[in-house]
Amino acid sequence: MSKEPIAETLENVDFEVFKKEVLEDFKLASISRETSLLGRREVLSGKAKFGIFGDGKELAQIALAKQFRNGDFRSGYYRDQTIMMAIGQLNVQQYFAGLYAHTDLDQEPQSAGRQMGGHYSTRNLDENGEWLNLMEQKNSSADISPTAGQMPRLLGLAMASKVYKENKALSELEEFKKFTNGGNEVAFGTIGDASTSEGPFWETINAAGVLQVPMVMSIWDDGYGISVPRKYQTTKDSISEALAGMQRTKDKPGYEIFVTKGWDYAHLCKTYEDAVKVAREEHVPVLIHVKEVNQPQGHSTSGSHERYKDEERMQWEIDFDCVTKFREWIINFNADGLSIATEEELDAIQKEAKKSVREQKSAAWKAFTDSLKEDLADAVSLIKAVASESENGIFITKMVADLEKSMDPIRKDIMGTARKVLRMVRNENISSKANLSDWIKQQINVNHDRYSSYLYSETSDSALNVEPVPPNYADDEMVDGRLILRDNYDKILENYPQALVYGEDAGKIGGVNQTLEGMQDKHGENRVSDTGIRECTIIGQGIGMAMRGLRPIAEIQYLDYLL
């Protein structure tokens, strides 16, 4: 048989794989965009309280997600919905459940409605508080609202890979294979360009450059910090230019810095492929400045960008919309006569995306309101029974009628009315009062689980379950307190291979108060180390490493340094 037809067949198969991937990416970009558009409407219609969305960042986040492997970690911010969708850790229904603040963990696995919508995370512990196998999933730390607050822990997530890579004896222990594959995991950080003005950003960037950890830092640059233009935010009007001095050279370590554009699909994919390869294989930090990111709906539901952008900029937002540009690229693609899709085919994908998002949004709203409707029906029934017996029946009847007429009442409305009625009849001796009182008590218990449980660990490993060990003195000899601390550190480091101590002056000189005297010489620099003067990231470094199974001890010399 001739080899030519085989070669042609293989080429066609390869192209079909490529075509399928591109169209899947277009589908996801369309779904994520429609989620943002519909999410804004839900907030403006009163169904949700606030919305901040990832529209305009879809292509860059899809390119990033292509390089995200099991065991990797994300520490990002509230516009990363497309990343979470692309790595399989978020669907549209869950997204809207978060927007509505649904307290059912099955419906809203990010935080069970306790965080602002758009705050993402993955479950790293099972229902018993035991570690899941983090190497069998793509991981995300829980987002927080303070801008750049995600940065310090990002350092620790990346540092854990370095610790595992340099401590083969630890990473090869069976119990730690759920945390690492020899330290080959990458920590992905994301941040909006304006938030790079925050102190934690600079402290983390500097520390990661010093430590040389596998961190991939993406900066989404749409030119504004809410309404304030970039030129008032960043030196040289460019974060990559401001950080150019950190570019590594042949002789000096530093960052590998990449620059790309948020609407250029092909360049984004190539950039992230190259950047993550460098970070993963060479164990160095990488910075990707994604410029020309568009903002289809402005900053958030709290304002309109027409107030601060001129007509030319508003037109640019339309012309360089990343989904629009992606669509153009697909339609114009021609490789030796091979094409990806027609306009009609892309129209069909976008039409189906709209339909799918609407259906999943409706399912999320139904799931959210069903339990509210049950509570409302119970409360109305009990209150009407009170009204039928009470001397204040006329007033109570009006109150319950107002509750029934209210549009989409929440638990605050339902419980508020029930309590008002109970207070109104507090001096009346009627049987229905006891029933209403019992129901309110029951709801308080149920709502405690919804809103106030797990504020700290409730597992058997909780610090509150540790039995105190009273001191047992062998004799009356008096010694320096630092010696007791030093010997305690020594025993911890001997008994727990995952333990490590670090901080300002903690390594070579053994701490300014000598509580670690001789520990670096005995246990090595990997386990007892010095840091720069950077209290914020010393603590963040510990948080990130602890999230990956290590037991870091962060030493801060004096309390005053934290105040």
Side-chain angles (χ1 to χ4, degrees):
M1 183 180 289
S2 170
K3 293 183 179 180
E4 286 75 15
I6 295 175
E8 289 177 9
T9 301
L10 289 174
E11 287 179 5
N12 289 336
V13 168
D14 290 343
F15 179 75
E16 287 303 313
V17 171
F18 165 74
K19 174 181 174 179
K20 181 179 179 182
E21 182 176 343
V22 170
L23 292 179
E24 285 296 320
D25 289 347
F26 183 75
K27 177 182 177 181
L28 177 57
S30 300
I31 286 172
S32 183
R33 173 61 60 84
E34 189 62 25
T35 300
S36 296
L37 296 174
L38 198 53
R40 182 180 178 89
R41 291 188 208 124
E42 292 298 278
V43 174
L44 296 180
S45 69
K47 288 184 177 180
K49 300 304 179 187
F50 179 73
I52 193 162
F53 309 102
D55 46 315
K57 300 167 179 64
E58 294 91 350
L59 285 197
Q61 294 187 11
I62 287 171
L64 181 155
K66 289 177 185 293
Q67 309 306 321
F68 206 117
R69 297 181 184 174
N70 282 359
D72 288 348
F73 255 93
R74 165 191 169 273
S75 184
Y77 84 137
Y78 38 75
R79 296 191 190 275
D80 287 349
Q81 69 201 45
T82 310
I83 294 176
M84 297 301 290
M85 290 176 178
I87 65 174
Q89 293 290 10
L90 178 73
N91 61 42
V92 174
Q93 185 170 337
Q94 291 168 343
Y95 177 88
F96 280 101
L99 194 66
Y100 303 141
H102 196 162
T103 58
D104 186 332
L105 193 58
D106 292 331
Q107 297 290 330
E108 205 284 87
Q110 311 296 318
S111 69
R114 295 188 182 186
Q115 291 223 70
M116 186 178 81
H119 284 52
Y120 308 112
S121 63
T122 54
R123 297 277 151 184
N124 300 334
L125 304 176
D126 65 19
E127 61 275 9
N128 298 315
E130 300 295 327
W131 284 104
L132 297 172
N133 189 332
L134 304 187
M135 295 305 299
E136 294 179 350
Q137 65 183 40
K138 297 175 174 67
N139 305 288
S140 176
S141 62
D143 296 344
I144 55 178
S145 293
T147 54
Q150 69 272 32
M151 295 298 297
R153 74 179 71 171
L154 173 64
L155 177 67
L157 292 169
M159 185 64 190
S161 290
K162 181 174 182 177
V163 171
Y164 283 126
K165 185 173 184 178
E166 295 182 350
N167 190 342
K168 295 295 184 184
L170 176 63
S171 62
E172 291 175 2
L173 289 174
E174 192 63 34
E175 63 186 291
F176 289 96
K177 290 183 179 179
K178 65 170 70 77
F179 301 116
T180 189
N181 178 24
N184 291 317
E185 303 76 36
V186 168
F188 290 87
T190 66
I191 196 169
D193 180 70
S195 294
T196 63
S197 300
E198 296 275 16
F201 172 83
W202 290 92
E203 193 173 310
T204 301
I205 290 295
N206 182 59
V210 170
L211 294 170
Q212 290 291 283
V213 292
M215 180 180 93
V216 175
M217 188 69 232
S218 295
I219 300 170
W220 316 130
D221 185 357
D222 57 30
Y224 289 84
I226 307 182
S227 67
V228 180
R230 185 179 54 231
K231 64 182 179 181
Y232 298 123
Q233 306 272 2
T234 308
T235 301
K236 295 187 176 181
D237 197 18
S238 168
I239 191 61
S240 54
E241 290 184 32
L243 289 169
M246 291 191 178
Q247 171 66 48
R248 64 177 182 162
T249 64
K250 182 179 179 180
D251 302 318
K252 292 185 178 182
Y255 276 77
E256 192 65 31
I257 298 176
F258 294 80
V259 179
T260 184
K261 294 178 180 179
W263 50 265
D264 191 337
Y265 173 76
H267 194 263
L268 282 163
C269 291
K270 184 66 166 64
T271 297
Y272 273 97
E273 181 180 0
D274 293 345
V276 178
K277 187 174 189 293
V278 168
R280 197 181 301 278
E281 295 182 1
E282 300 182 39
H283 254 235
V284 298
V286 169
L287 184 137
I288 304 172
H289 183 189
V290 184
K291 303 169 72 174
E292 297 189 23
V293 173
N294 75 303
Q295 244 188 8
Q297 301 184 102
H299 178 264
S300 67
T301 54
S302 62
S304 170
H305 57 163
E306 288 87 355
R307 295 166 56 198
Y308 51 86
K309 293 177 182 175
D310 60 25
E311 289 185 13
E312 182 180 359
R313 175 67 192 203
M314 291 301 296
Q315 187 59 47
W316 184 91
E317 299 285 0
I318 296 171
D319 295 341
F320 284 84
D321 180 278
C322 68
V323 177
T324 300
K325 296 293 282 185
F326 189 20
R327 180 187 170 98
E328 292 173 1
W329 181 84
I330 292 172
I331 292 170
N332 295 326
F333 184 91
N334 187 323
D336 298 326
L338 296 172
S339 60
I340 297 174
T342 64
E343 288 193 53
E344 291 75 19
E345 289 169 329
L346 297 184
D347 285 342
I349 290 173
Q350 290 186 307
K351 182 179 179 180
E352 178 58 31
K354 289 177 182 290
K355 178 176 179 289
S356 174
V357 172
R358 283 196 301 269
E359 289 174 349
Q360 292 187 70
K361 184 271 297 182
S362 297
W365 181 250
K366 182 179 185 302
F368 173 64
T369 55
D370 277 352
S371 62
L372 287 173
K373 289 176 181 177
E374 290 177 11
D375 290 349
L376 177 62
D378 290 343
V380 166
S381 176
L382 290 166
I383 294 170
K384 285 182 176 179
V386 172
S388 68
E389 290 188 89
S390 173
E391 60 190 39
N392 292 297
I394 294 176
F395 303 105
I396 295 173
T397 299
K398 183 180 184 308
M399 291 169 66
V400 75
D402 290 342
L403 180 62
E404 287 184 291
K405 291 177 184 176
S406 60
M407 182 180 293
D408 301 321
I410 58 177
R411 288 194 172 89
K412 177 184 176 183
D413 304 318
I414 298 167
M415 287 291 286
T417 301
R419 282 172 157 166
K420 285 179 183 177
V421 170
L422 189 62
R423 286 196 299 270
M424 188 175 289
V425 299
R426 64 187 181 278
N427 295 321
E428 297 184 36
N429 186 20
I430 52 177
S431 60
S432 55
K433 181 177 73 172
N435 294 334
L436 180 61
S437 177
D438 290 343
W439 181 84
I440 290 173
K441 290 175 183 177
Q442 178 192 25
Q443 287 298 302
I444 289 173
N445 290 331
V446 172
N447 288 334
H448 178 273
D449 182 65
R450 286 171 175 149
Y451 305 114
S452 302
S453 60
Y454 294 100
L455 299 181
Y456 49 82
S457 174
E458 296 183 9
T459 70
S460 59
D461 292 326
S462 169
L464 298 179
N465 293 329
V466 175
E467 291 293 331
V469 179
N472 182 17
Y473 301 107
D475 51 50
D476 295 330
E477 179 187 2
M478 299 294 290
V479 297
D480 287 347
R482 72 172 187 87
L483 296 178
I484 297 172
L485 290 172
R486 182 200 64 187
D487 293 347
N488 185 56
Y489 279 130
D490 191 23
K491 287 299 180 184
I492 289 173
L493 293 166
E494 282 182 4
N495 296 331
Y496 300 96
Q498 70 270 43
L500 61 156
V501 188
Y502 63 98
E504 297 162 13
D505 302 302
K508 186 177 180 62
I509 69 170
V512 292
N513 294 308
Q514 294 295 281
T515 55
L516 290 162
E517 179 188 16
M519 293 298 100
Q520 188 179 80
D521 291 337
K522 182 174 181 179
H523 298 284
E525 285 190 40
N526 288 341
R527 301 191 66 199
V528 184
S529 58
D530 289 310
T531 69
I533 299 175
R534 51 176 181 83
E535 286 79 16
C536 177
T537 48
I538 288 174
I539 294 174
Q541 188 174 327
I543 294 170
M545 288 194 288
M547 291 183 69
R548 294 193 55 197
L550 298 171
R551 296 301 294 270
I553 301 172
E555 179 177 292
I556 303 294
Q557 286 180 2
Y558 300 105
L559 177 64
D560 304 47
Y561 292 176
L562 296 177
L563 302 178

